[in-house]
């Protein structure tokens, strides 16, 4: 009976690459990089630097730089923002070379069957699996602030994850809620496509990262590297600890973990985004959307600032760049019995050191594992840590169960 990996984003592909050398029967499902293609805007650039944006494989030759070399492209450093289209092409190249056995099908449901897992595919095929790795990504966890839920008709409000083509809003006024990279980059793309965005941010000001001091981190002065060591999540000791301390992170009290997850990399735009935001469209800082209502096919938003003053803003669409919150209850792919059997904290699965949930044989990776192992699991940079540990645990677990 196979071990199954569901999802073919960076985490699913990395897990599949590592598992395929482990000598266990296996099947991998998903459309490679589908959420990068469908649920992120065209024209977007990655915030992470090339050196921190490779999908992990157990052997050399599959990094982003190897892909670029294979395409005849020159090496790039920290000054190079990766276009999303390049990352998608890299992911598909990784899939074709490293995980060709991927079955391009969606899994319709997973349920518990006498200590095993019963899977149904979109094709209608049903089969049993010994272990299941959930690498289904963040889209199911798109967060819409509860206070805005149900106030305006669904066609007037949407989460950023529902959009690939922001040019469809050309000529429209779009209120963008959020203060992070997704809000700022969506607003920049909207503005550049002829729409009229207004960003509504709870934070007192908008933050942007600092441009790197050199293209290659190794070229930075040694004294600077001692004070602010480089890491996949960025320079500085706290980011260094989160990048390399995933195993220790799991032992912090759950409340501390949740707080760190939301604060270590607070909302901010990439350094290269600043000139596409400042002075280009209104940004209302220290502002909260208090209520929303529909009027004449538009949205009226009551926006309250820190002094308690309310301003009413009219928009043709309300775009929620409000991020993602892990909640196992929202993974409809899992049967209700499986969902309720997974022990959680704050909605996220409690995981062993090997990414196994309280249901033996059911593993979670990627964003669903970030509350357990820390912010690095929100980024492609975490694929190596996750895939190595998870593969070891799956192999040990399957031997143990036999
Ligand atoms: C706008 C935006 C920008 C980002 N920028 C960066 C960045 O610059 N750098 C960075 O490192 N990270 C970035 N991230 C985070 C990035 O999304 C994650 O690092 C990465 O995608 C996580 O990989 P994953 O495999 O867990 O999830 P995903 O990439 O979402 O892949 C999950 C896959 O599972 C598939 N799937 C779901 N359900 C099923 C099913 N039932 N059957 C089969 N397949 C299924 C989906 O189709 C999807 O393709 C960004 C995220 C967003 C939203």
């Amino acid at each position: 009976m196979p071990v199954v990996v569901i999802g073919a984003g960076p985490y699913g592909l990395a897990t599949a690459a590592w598992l395929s050398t482990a000598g266990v029967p296996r099947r991998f499902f998903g459309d490679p990089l589908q959420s990068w293609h469908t649920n992120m805007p065209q024209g977007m650039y990655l915030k992470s630097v090339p050196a921190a944006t490779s999908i992990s494989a157990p052997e050399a030759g599959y990094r982003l730089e190897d892909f670029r070399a294979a395409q005849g492209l020159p090496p790039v450093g920290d000054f190079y923002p990766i276009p999303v289209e390049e990352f998608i092409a890299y992911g598909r190249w990784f899939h074709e070379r490293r995980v060709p056995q991927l079955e391009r099908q969606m899994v319709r449901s997973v349920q518990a069957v006498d200590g095993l897992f019963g899977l149904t595919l979109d094709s209608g095929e049903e089969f049993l699996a010994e272990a299941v790795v959930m690498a289904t990504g963040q889209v199911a966890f798109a967060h819409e602030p509860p206070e805005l839920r149900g106030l305006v008709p669904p066609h007037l409000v949407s989460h950023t994850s529902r959009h690939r083509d922001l040019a469809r809003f050309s000529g429209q006024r779009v209120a963008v809620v959020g203060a992070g990279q997704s809000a700022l980059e969506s607003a920049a793309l909207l503005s550049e496509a002829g729409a009229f965005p207004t960003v509504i941010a709870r934070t007192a000001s908008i933050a942007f990262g600092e441009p790197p001091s050199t293209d290659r981190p190794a070229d930075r002065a040694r004294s600077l590297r001692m004070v602010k060591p480089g890491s996949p999540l960025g320079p500085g000791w706290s980011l260094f600890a989160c990048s390399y301390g995933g195993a220790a992170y799991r032992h912090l009290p759950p409340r501390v973990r949740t707080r760190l997850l939301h604060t270590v990399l607070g909302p901010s735009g990439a350094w290269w985004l600043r000139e596409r935001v400042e002075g280009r469209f209104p940004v209302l800082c220290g502002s909260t959307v208090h209520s929303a209502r529909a009027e004449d096919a538009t949205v009226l938003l009551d926006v309250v600032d820190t002094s308690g003053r309310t301003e009413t803003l009219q928009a043709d669409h309300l775009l929620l760049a409000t991020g993602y919150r892990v909640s196992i209850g929202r993974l409809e792919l899992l049967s209700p019995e499986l969902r309720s059997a997974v022990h959680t904290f704050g909605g996220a699965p409690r995981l062993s050191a090997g990414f196994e949930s309280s249901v033996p044989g059911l593993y979670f990776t990627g964003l669903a594992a970030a509350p357990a192992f820390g912010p690095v699991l929100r980024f492609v940079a975490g694929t190596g840590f996750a895939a190595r540990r998870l593969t070891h645990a799956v192999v040990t677990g399957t031997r143990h169960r036999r």
Side-chain angles (χ1 to χ4, degrees):
M1 243 169 304
V3 171
V4 165
V5 178
I6 307 177
Y11 278 84
L13 289 174
T15 310
W18 280 81
L19 265 178
S20 58
T21 55
V24 289
R26 59 210 172 249
R27 291 182 75 176
F28 311 135
F29 297 99
D31 191 359
L33 276 285
Q34 186 256 331
S35 72
W36 288 77
H37 184 258
T38 310
N39 305 98
M40 297 188 196
Q42 274 171 330
M44 175 189 116
Y45 289 88
L46 271 67
K47 195 176 172 188
S48 58
V49 296
T53 314
S54 288
I55 303 170
S56 174
E59 57 293 278
Y62 298 96
R63 294 182 59 79
L64 180 67
E65 69 221 38
D66 301 311
F67 162 74
R68 285 184 58 88
Q71 309 301 304
L73 298 167
V76 283
D78 288 1
F79 288 138
Y80 179 74
I82 308 163
V84 70
E85 291 75 15
E86 179 177 327
F87 186 71
I88 294 170
Y90 162 56
R92 290 179 175 164
W93 175 89
F94 184 101
H95 146 240
E96 280 161 17
R97 275 159 192 75
R98 193 58 193 77
V99 194
Q101 64 275 48
L102 177 75
E103 299 176 52
R104 297 180 74 144
Q105 287 205 61
M106 298 297 275
V107 177
R108 200 186 293 162
S109 66
V110 182
Q111 52 193 317
V113 181
D114 299 332
L116 300 170
F117 299 93
L119 283 89
T120 307
L121 305 182
D122 259 358
S123 63
E125 181 189 345
E126 296 181 2
F127 65 97
L128 288 175
E130 179 165 2
V132 170
V133 180
M134 295 289 290
T136 49
Q138 71 268 0
V139 175
F141 302 133
H143 173 67
E144 303 193 355
E147 63 273 18
L148 297 181
R149 224 168 272 155
L151 294 181
V152 284
H155 66 278
L156 292 178
V157 56
S158 55
H159 189 272
T160 43
S161 62
R162 299 224 331 245
H163 299 284
R164 172 166 189 252
D165 178 19
L166 290 171
R168 63 170 274 231
F169 292 110
S170 178
Q172 296 187 27
R173 296 159 297 175
V174 184
V176 182
V177 178
Q181 173 74 3
S182 178
L184 299 172
E185 192 171 21
S186 297
L189 289 166
L190 283 164
S191 166
E192 289 155 7
F196 304 98
T198 299
V199 174
I200 304 167
R202 258 202 305 239
T203 50
S205 60
I206 292 295
F208 290 95
E210 285 295 316
S213 51
T214 56
D215 197 31
R216 281 175 7 110
D219 293 341
R220 291 165 72 215
R222 193 159 180 270
S223 54
L224 201 62
R225 279 186 275 146
M226 293 296 283
V227 181
K228 274 195 159 197
S231 81
L233 295 183
W237 282 106
S238 63
L239 295 181
F240 185 91
C242 285
S243 295
Y244 299 112
Y249 191 93
R250 207 177 122 262
H251 299 292
L252 294 170
R255 206 179 298 164
V256 177
R257 273 187 269 162
T258 307
R259 201 184 63 237
L260 283 176
L261 194 61
H262 293 123
T263 55
V264 163
L265 284 162
S268 70
W271 63 272
W272 44 260
L273 195 53
R274 187 188 280 272
E275 62 179 19
R276 293 170 56 198
V277 172
E278 288 182 346
R280 306 278 174 171
F281 42 81
V283 178
L284 310 179
C285 290
S287 300
T288 310
V289 178
H290 198 255
S291 60
R293 59 195 181 279
E295 190 178 282
D296 296 337
T298 66
V299 195
L300 289 183
L301 301 168
D302 289 329
V303 180
V304 183
D305 68 16
T306 40
S307 65
R309 207 171 53 92
T310 302
E311 184 188 337
T312 302
L313 187 82
Q314 188 170 28
D316 299 300
H317 196 83
L318 174 59
L319 186 62
L320 302 172
T322 41
Y324 300 84
R325 298 260 169 96
V326 178
S327 170
I328 291 307
R330 294 177 69 189
L331 281 183
E332 290 177 7
L333 173 60
L334 297 177
S335 68
E337 298 76 46
L338 268 180
R339 269 179 270 161
S340 56
V342 174
H343 295 170
T344 58
F345 67 103
R350 287 183 190 276
L351 299 176
S352 71
F355 289 70
E356 190 172 22
S357 70
S358 53
V359 176
L362 182 62
Y363 298 79
F364 291 87
T365 188
L367 184 68
F373 293 97
V376 73
L377 271 285
R378 287 167 41 199
F379 298 93
V380 178
T383 53
F385 169 77
R388 212 173 297 121
R389 284 195 155 225
L390 205 154
T391 298
H392 178 73
V394 167
V395 172
T396 316
T398 47
R399 277 199 204 118
H400 184 72
R401 278 189 288 274
R402 273 173 198 157

